[in-house]
Amino acid sequence: MMPRSVLSRCARLTQQVPLESARSTRHGVHRGMSSVTIPPPACMLRPLEAPFRYLFGPGPSNVPPRILAAGGRPIIGHMHSEMFGIMNDIKKGIQYAFQTSNNMTLVMSGSAHTAMECAVFNIVEPGESVLVAINGIWGERVAEIAERMGAKVHTLVKTPGGHFTNAEIEQALAKHKPVLFFLTHGESSSGLVHPVDGVGDICHKYNCLLLVDSVASLGAAPLLMDQQNIDILYTGSQKALNAPPGTAPISFSERACHKMFNRKTKPVSYLLDMTHLSNYWGNDGKPDRIYHHTGPVSGFFALRESLAILAETGLENSWKHHTEVAEYLWKGLEDLGLKLFIKDKDLRLPSVTTVAIPEGYNWKELLAYIMKHHQIEFTGGLGPTVGMVLRIGFMGYNCNKANAAMALAALEDALKQCRKSKA
Ligand code: PMP
């Protein structure tokens, strides 16, 4: 309970400012006359409405009450010592989740795209060569990001659902001599989990850094940053971590730090410049943290709680649990006569399952039916997989057999009710 004195102070703070005082003559406006020509919009005078939905797609996933409560706590200043303490805790939580002892571990204030851009902008200088593995949308995105900042982009391409052998990667590294190689661990547009073993070693043999996207896979499929020699790893808050969208953990190896802190040119983005961000996160060894930008305080509270839940659960338990629920879902989907898009079970992403769109059905109609009648979100494909797959995801809090059974029942119902539609 808050003390009475605090409550009454809060009440005073939230009291409406009388309209009259807003019509200040100091601003050249006469008392009694309104200076605004645009009235308050009617929608803003209605309460916020956001329906409950079962978010069983590729993310965001539902946020558990404990994390929502953490995000809903009264905020403190982004430069308060307590906030720095919370950021230090978050850093430790990420080091555990990524399995890294990298000092340069922090959180981007923004969605996972911010982390993608931060990695590319800080590591690569204009004119340098970058190699991007494209087997779905995320490679396409990183190639575009690198191209926009003036890198020489080379691609290694497979159709969605395909993966690259280490020999293919080595051949391309030898040919293009990139400073950075990008690989998506959990390809959420195709449902593939890409093997990472050995890739870091090959990259280092060619003096190249390995950048890995684990947005859709972190906490759901095994990934060990240090043991697998990954130089830059990032993820998002809104998938298996179950925090609201808007923060993105990232970590850089010593090798990556050496490259990014010895560059000749400044990174194109001020906001994403790691010289500043490393100070903001207390990673640069300097005694004081200097204001750079106002971090999303509530987002950091929520992220800390989500990392605490992962630490309590244990990474290995989390991986095992996601696999068990995914296997239950895959069997249920096959029992419905559906075909899984990724044939090899070992290459299926446990967090996001892709189902080939059954013949004779309009995928948009199936999704709309399920949303309308079951309040469940599944999604269609993304980028190159649009029109090819439906995507069903169970991550973190959502990941249990009861939810998977509910999803299967909804899909079965939709397959019956939408039967007559044609793709
Ligand atoms: N990478 C992967 C694998 C993703 O699944 C996503 C989000 N769907 C992103 C990157 C981008 O994340 P965000 O939308 O948070 O920027």
Side-chain angles (χ1 to χ4, degrees), residues 32-49:
M33 277 173 60
S34 174
S35 62
V36 301
T37 53
I38 299 178
C43 64
M44 283 301 156
L45 305 176
R46 289 196 302 266
L48 167 72
E49 271 179 38

Side-chain angles (χ1 to χ4, degrees), residues 145-382:
I145 289 167
E147 193 186 285
R148 282 177 183 225
M149 54 73 50
K152 260 192 237 138
V153 179
H154 305 281
T155 57
L156 198 54
V157 182
K158 294 261 171 171
T159 50
H163 73 285
F164 306 90
T165 64
N166 286 5
E168 287 169 327
I169 294 170
E170 177 153 12
Q171 220 176 16
L173 289 170
K175 183 169 170 202
H176 301 298
K177 302 189 176 52
V179 296
L180 185 70
F181 173 57
F182 171 81
L183 187 66
T184 313
H185 181 232
E187 226 308 335
S188 56
S189 65
S190 68
L192 180 103
V193 65
H194 202 290
V196 178
D197 279 344
V199 179
D201 295 332
I202 302 171
C203 285
H204 296 162
K205 185 171 150 193
Y206 292 89
N207 204 20
C208 169
L209 297 166
L210 173 61
L211 166 62
V212 173
D213 177 320
S214 70
V215 175
S217 57
L218 187 89
L223 192 63
L224 304 161
M225 183 174 192
D226 287 359
Q227 285 181 49
Q228 291 176 309
N229 278 320
I230 298 167
D231 292 293
I232 308 118
L233 181 65
Y234 63 83
T235 194
S237 55
Q238 74 273 27
K239 310 257 179 173
L241 285 178
N242 283 159
T247 56
I250 189 166
S251 181
F252 296 85
S253 69
E254 283 290 322
R255 248 195 193 89
C257 290
H258 183 78
K259 170 87 173 82
M260 76 180 163
F261 294 132
N262 287 288
R263 43 188 296 151
K264 293 182 202 77
T265 57
K266 285 185 179 178
V268 288
S269 166
Y270 182 87
L271 178 64
L272 304 182
D273 187 334
M274 278 297 296
T275 322
H276 302 303
L277 291 174
S278 62
N279 175 266
Y280 179 40
W281 279 83
N283 291 345
D284 65 354
K286 297 201 174 133
D288 293 320
R289 302 195 197 193
I290 295 162
Y291 168 73
H292 170 249
H293 72 282
T294 309
V297 173
S298 308
F300 289 161
F301 289 172
L303 182 65
R304 188 200 179 283
E305 206 64 16
S306 70
L307 289 162
I309 291 173
L310 184 62
E312 288 163 18
T313 308
L315 255 185
E316 284 167 314
N317 287 336
S318 184
W319 297 334
K320 191 163 163 266
H321 181 63
H322 280 82
T323 305
E324 280 168 7
V325 173
E327 281 173 352
Y328 175 84
L329 174 72
W330 299 337
K331 167 138 192 349
L333 291 166
E334 283 171 341
D335 289 348
L336 287 177
L338 297 166
K339 291 202 170 55
L340 296 173
F341 184 67
I342 304 293
K343 300 278 169 280
D344 183 345
K345 217 170 152 203
D346 293 337
L347 293 174
R348 279 184 206 147
L349 183 58
S351 43
V352 181
T353 294
T354 39
V355 187
I357 293 166
E359 230 168 281
Y361 286 93
N362 177 328
W363 61 273
K364 287 186 187 162
E365 200 179 319
L366 286 172
L367 295 181
Y369 179 89
I370 291 166
M371 176 71 92
K372 181 165 176 213
H373 296 278
H374 298 271
Q375 292 74 51
I376 291 176
E377 179 200 54
F378 301 148
T379 71
L382 182 65

